[in-house]
Amino acid sequence: MTMRAKRVRPVLLFALAAVVVVSCRDAAGPGATGYFALAPSFASAAAGIVEIAQVRVQLFRADESLALDETVTVPAGADSLALELTVRLREPDEVFQMFLDFITPTGDTAFRAGPVDVTASSTSTEPVPIEVNAIYVGVGANAASVAVTTTGATLIPGQTKQLSAEARDDQGQPIPGTPIAWASLDPARATFPDPAVGSVVGGTTPGPVLVTATLLTGPADTVSVTAQAARPGRSCRCRSSWRCSATISRSRAHRCCSRPATADRSVPTPS
């Protein structure tokens, strides 16, 4: 069986579109050749916040015997993945039950798909992709809720503030290590450069905006942050003959006068 996967994005968005070729061969010579296509999807649109390092493929026969169990490594930084796997068909158009496991660098299974019935078609036409829905089964999959634990922030353009949230079980206890996806409802006012991290950056459009913390299983919480206009600088003047050569900001005072050869010391006065 040969499975070719294209455009795999293991960090930002893991997607596997596979074409599988299954051959039936015996000592008498080659037998039937069948094909099936896979189109895995993820139940959560935020699945890309979880890094995927390996993909495990399992195929079971109708009698529940294992026909294939292969784990393939996703190369670091790769955006595509090609798999070369082989399995023997007992008969043309044999039906398999397929499972897919998506495994993190620490060896935990983050997403699981299946069981899904797949049949190796003997037709020469391109097979219709079989939709396979992967659900999150990793750390915090049993979480009942998520709560933002940081109060709202006020940000000027480009300013960053760290927000925090925690997943909780049905007893209200935190579940450390649960992936949480951050998003802004108005990127012009606030953005998250990395949706897996709660570092919010102020935008250029002033005003309040809701940001969300969402678990891969669905629960979410929101908090409001406010984007402010950039603070204008203020000029400074000197009390003596010193020459004012810079500006002074409201948030940080500093000397901005140049001292002539003959002059008394003075300090700048914001104007």
Side-chain angles (χ1 to χ4, degrees):
M1 179 180 74
T2 301
M3 177 160 63
R4 299 184 183 89
K6 54 185 179 181
R7 289 299 163 195
V8 177
R9 302 182 184 275
V11 178
L12 298 181
L13 177 60
F14 193 100
L16 178 65
V19 176
V20 181
V21 181
V22 192
S23 297
C24 178
R25 300 178 184 275
D26 54 29
T33 298
Y35 304 83
F36 62 85
L38 305 177
S41 61
F42 293 85
S44 171
I49 67 172
V50 179
E51 183 177 359
I52 301 300
Q54 295 178 311
V55 178
R56 182 184 183 187
V57 184
Q58 292 179 299
L59 292 177
F60 290 86
R61 302 185 191 274
D63 61 3
E64 299 184 357
S65 62
L66 183 63
L68 175 76
D69 188 351
E70 294 280 352
T71 300
V72 180
T73 298
V74 179
D79 65 355
S80 63
L81 182 63
L83 307 182
E84 296 290 335
L85 306 174
T86 302
V87 65
R88 185 185 300 276
L89 282 179
R90 290 178 176 173
E91 59 186 17
D93 298 330
E94 182 176 3
V95 178
F96 296 94
Q97 273 201 332
M98 185 192 66
F99 294 82
L100 293 175
D101 287 348
F102 299 87
I103 303 169
T104 69
T106 59
D108 296 324
T109 298
F111 300 92
R112 178 165 291 148
V116 175
D117 287 342
V118 293
T119 303
S121 173
S122 58
T123 62
S124 59
T125 59
E126 183 174 347
V128 176
I130 301 168
E131 294 186 4
V132 183
N133 189 35
I135 62 173
Y136 182 70
V137 295
V139 177
N142 63 326
S145 64
V146 59
V148 177
T149 56
T150 310
T151 57
T154 298
L155 304 165
I156 61 174
Q159 184 181 6
T160 299
K161 183 171 182 179
Q162 182 67 39
L163 303 181
S164 299
E166 64 181 18
R168 297 171 180 173
D169 62 20
D170 55 6
Q171 301 298 315
Q173 297 301 309
I175 307 177
T178 303
I180 298 174
W182 294 88
S184 168
L185 299 187
D186 187 351
R189 293 179 174 175
T191 59
F192 290 90
D194 184 347
V197 181
S199 294
V200 60
V201 180
T204 56
T205 301
V209 57
L210 287 177
V211 299
T212 62
T214 305
L215 302 184
L216 300 183
T217 50
D221 192 20
T222 61
V223 67
S224 178
V225 301
T226 301
Q228 285 188 338
R231 298 173 180 176
R234 292 188 295 171
S235 62
C236 62
R237 67 175 183 270
C238 302
R239 294 177 179 175
S240 68
S241 59
W242 287 28
R243 180 169 54 85
C244 185
S245 59
T247 61
I248 185 169
S249 69
R250 294 176 181 173
S251 60
R252 183 175 60 184
H254 58 279
R255 293 181 181 274
C256 59
C257 301
S258 58
R259 183 179 183 181
T262 56
D264 295 331
R265 256 180 215 279
S266 65
V267 296
T269 302
S271 59

